[in-house]
Amino acid sequence: MADTTLTTAPKKTAYFPAIDGLRLLASINIVMLHLGSSNALAYMADYKWLMPIVSAPAFAAGIFYVFAGFLFASKFSDPDRRIPVIPFMFARIAKLYRLHFFMTLLMFVVLVFKFSGYTHLPSFGEIGDCASKGLAAMTHPWRSLLLHLSLTWSIVPDLGMKLNEPSWSLTSFFLCYAITPWFSRWLFKRSRRTLWILFGAVFVPGILWAATFGLTGDLWFAGYGEKYRFFHMFAPVRVFEYIFGMVIFRLYAEGCFEFLKKDYVSGIMQALLLAALYGSLFLMSPAYNPGVNYFIHHSVAVFIYGLFVLSLLSGKGFMARFFCIGIVRRVGRASFYPYLIHLPLITIAWGICNLNSPKNTILFMLFVYTVSTLYMEFKTWRRKRNKNKV
């Protein structure tokens, strides 16, 4: 049975303020991606230099796993600390699942209305008719809802509709959280040589996964889109991106990247990595084998993300200084909420206005990030108040 006792008080962990700002950048890129896929950014189509950043996207889901692994490895870097496994898991679930639950229900209701064919809000007497028509037009609505609420949709996405699609990441994140206490302790005992081996070895599963994607047909999926969604969301491979973040923290703690603390080195590295990431977007081509594009967009990008995180840690360099600005950090700390709530809100916003305009894009983004930040600030205030009472 797992040891769930806490034998020593945790040491104060290092804090890396620039990562808060990086959270914001990554979150904005994901929200813009889904705005674009809903045709809300058609007015930007002529900006050929900009659209690949949005549509690829440049900062994809992998970056969340990398810096999450880095941050949790830093929090649990004390080898004498016995991490309470079950409370740790329930704390993470309580923080993220409730919002996922309500957003999934909201998206379900919105889609029922959208598929009903009603062009106006139904009156009280029309609610039943609206619901029955909407449910009849949807594909396996109740099964889809169950899959999303049970966090199993990402495992069998072809068995149900996508509701609140970004929530697929919760399945793999909870798997990552489950291994965090044990793996943090194990990683602390590894030598620097072993850490460098792991630094490269964590990419092997992703490369093999890309090869499998490229060398197989549609398998049991209806088409390329369904197959890509499954491979993209596959939780066991995403865990290695999280482990990569944990490994680079251990190497950082071992002093392997001290050169990044020198003046100008971090800034130069940030510029080079951003240029490399931008260039990688143009390496992908429909003429290539799908596995090559998958490798570029996942393995290559994740490697760049890891180095970019390292370049920010000293707080030096133009990007790190920007990410450390107070308001950027404050909004960045709340950035996972926009990630979970934006898709239902995009669907609702399209029913209210034409999102395909610069003004409405800006207003939508301001609304999503303002609400999320205020909610985060409220939670922080309430936690501090309760702590002071105790």
Side-chain angles (χ1 to χ4, degrees):
M1 181 178 294
D3 186 356
T4 60
T5 61
L6 188 65
T7 59
T8 61
K11 298 177 182 178
K12 186 176 181 180
T13 57
Y15 183 68
F16 307 98
I19 293 183
D20 289 335
L22 180 59
R23 281 188 178 122
L24 176 59
L25 177 61
S27 172
I28 288 175
N29 206 169
I30 296 294
V31 175
M32 293 293 286
L33 166 70
H34 291 119
L35 280 170
S37 63
S38 75
N39 296 318
L41 303 179
Y43 62 87
M44 295 173 58
D46 292 334
Y47 296 91
K48 305 297 184 183
W49 61 273
L50 179 61
M51 285 309 293
I53 298 175
V54 174
S55 59
F59 291 94
I63 195 168
F64 288 98
Y65 293 92
V66 173
F67 65 62
F70 183 94
L71 291 174
F72 276 106
S74 71
K75 288 180 179 180
F76 300 130
S77 59
D78 183 355
D80 297 322
R81 182 183 181 189
R82 307 296 289 180
I83 302 168
V85 180
I86 295 176
F88 170 71
M89 284 295 298
F90 273 98
R92 301 308 301 166
I93 292 172
K95 182 177 182 180
L96 301 175
Y97 183 80
R98 284 179 294 183
L99 186 59
H100 158 70
F101 180 86
F102 289 115
M103 287 299 104
T104 299
L105 290 181
L106 175 62
M107 190 64 174
F108 185 77
V109 172
V110 169
L111 288 180
V112 168
F113 173 74
K114 182 178 179 179
F115 278 88
S116 71
Y118 273 66
T119 57
H120 63 278
L121 289 177
S123 64
F124 182 77
E126 294 175 318
I127 291 178
D129 180 64
C130 177
S132 62
K133 287 182 177 178
L135 291 170
M138 295 169 69
T139 304
H140 303 301
W142 297 114
R143 185 168 71 189
S144 302
L145 181 62
L146 177 62
L147 287 172
H148 278 268
L149 293 180
S150 61
L151 300 177
T152 54
W153 177 74
S154 67
I155 302 171
V156 283
D158 51 320
L159 294 184
M161 298 176 63
K162 60 179 181 181
L163 298 178
N164 192 20
E165 185 177 9
S167 63
W168 65 263
S169 61
L170 293 184
T171 305
S172 45
F173 264 120
F174 288 146
L175 182 58
C176 292
Y177 298 147
I179 70 168
T180 296
W182 164 80
F183 198 77
S184 296
R185 292 195 296 270
W186 181 85
L187 203 59
F188 194 89
K189 300 174 184 177
R190 304 283 72 82
S191 66
R192 184 178 294 190
R193 179 175 177 272
T194 302
L195 292 174
W196 278 115
I197 293 173
L198 287 171
F199 181 86
V202 291
F203 287 95
V204 173
I207 294 171
L208 293 176
W209 196 236
T212 303
F213 180 73
L215 297 176
T216 55
D218 289 338
L219 299 175
W220 59 87
F221 301 100
Y224 175 84
E226 289 75 11
K227 178 186 175 184
Y228 178 82
R229 182 182 298 136
F230 172 78
F231 274 72
H232 174 71
M233 298 187 302
F234 193 63
V237 174
R238 290 292 183 177
V239 169
F240 287 95
E241 298 173 0
Y242 182 87
I243 291 175
F244 178 55
M246 300 182 78
V247 170
I248 61 175
F249 170 76
R250 288 293 304 124
L251 288 169
Y252 172 80
E254 289 287 322
C256 296
F257 302 101
E258 290 296 304
F259 67 93
L260 291 174
K261 296 180 180 179
K262 296 180 181 179
D263 290 339
Y264 305 111
V265 174
S266 289
I268 293 171
M269 188 170 179
Q270 289 160 24
L272 291 175
L273 289 169
L274 287 176
L277 183 62
Y278 183 67
S280 72
L281 304 178
F282 296 91
L283 292 177
M284 294 181 286
S285 169
Y288 295 160
N289 181 283
V292 175
N293 291 329
Y294 189 96
F295 168 74
I296 294 171
H297 188 50
H298 290 78
S299 297
V300 172
V302 166
F303 180 73
I304 295 174
Y305 297 154
L307 297 183
F308 190 63
V309 167
L310 288 169
S311 75
L312 298 173
L313 302 180
S314 67
K316 298 178 180 179
F318 64 104
M319 288 302 296
R321 294 185 188 279
F322 173 75
F323 287 155
C324 288
I325 295 173
I327 186 63
V328 176
R329 289 176 51 203
R330 193 177 294 269
V331 179
R333 283 196 294 268
S335 61
F336 202 74
Y337 295 121
Y339 180 82
L340 287 177
I341 71 174
H342 73 274
L343 208 57
L345 296 183
I346 288 174
T347 307
I348 293 172
W350 267 114
I352 299 173
C353 65
N354 177 17
L355 272 182
N356 185 27
S357 73
K359 175 186 174 182
N360 289 338
T361 298
I362 293 171
L363 289 175
F364 177 82
M365 296 294 284
L366 286 174
F367 174 78
V368 169
Y369 282 90
T370 299
V371 169
S372 298
T373 304
L374 291 175
Y375 176 67
M376 183 73 173
E377 291 297 311
F378 169 74
K379 288 185 65 177
T380 302
W381 169 81
R382 186 175 61 181
R383 184 171 61 251
K384 289 180 178 179
R385 184 192 63 178
N386 293 338
K387 185 177 180 180
N388 290 333
K389 285 182 179 180
V390 174

